[in-house]
Amino acid sequence: AFVLVQLGLMNLILTAICDEANVAHEKDMAARAVEHQEREHKWVEQLGQMFMNIDTSCNGFVSLEELVEAYDTEPKLQNLFHCLNIERDSVAELFSLMDTDHSGTVNYAEFAR
């Protein structure tokens, strides 16, 4: 009987430890989700700022010429393209991929995709 009581107590202790671990895991996952949302929000803000810097005509659209000029003059865009292994001679191809409505310009929605 004594052994059964000890096993029962060990089972209760183990259950408490597992519950605490689950709570800690859930808190960690929630914190990670918040961090991810904050990073995503910051990235969207940076994309918006980058788009406005590229849109030198201030018409809400980016032309191929503006994108090429920005490639040559905007350090943040150069850094992004470098990270994505996009060379200057590939900018026209990238622009064509972004211009999903084939208008010859890229709006913010197309740019941020």
Side-chain angles (χ1 to χ4, degrees), residues 33-86:
V34 168
E35 287 176 15
H36 177 75
Q37 287 176 332
E38 289 172 354
R39 277 194 309 264
E40 190 173 287
H41 180 71
K42 185 177 178 181
W43 176 244
V44 168
E45 285 179 0
Q46 288 176 346
L47 273 179
Q49 185 62 48
M50 193 180 301
F51 182 84
M52 290 189 313
N53 291 344
I54 295 170
D55 180 19
T56 56
S57 64
C58 300
N59 64 357
F61 298 92
V62 170
S63 67
L64 174 58
E65 293 77 20
E66 288 173 320
L67 187 61
V68 170
E69 181 182 333
Y71 185 91
D72 293 336
T73 61
E74 287 290 327
K76 286 185 179 180
L77 185 66
Q78 290 170 352
N79 205 16
L80 174 64
F81 281 3
H82 177 73
C83 289
L84 297 172
N85 292 321
I86 298 172

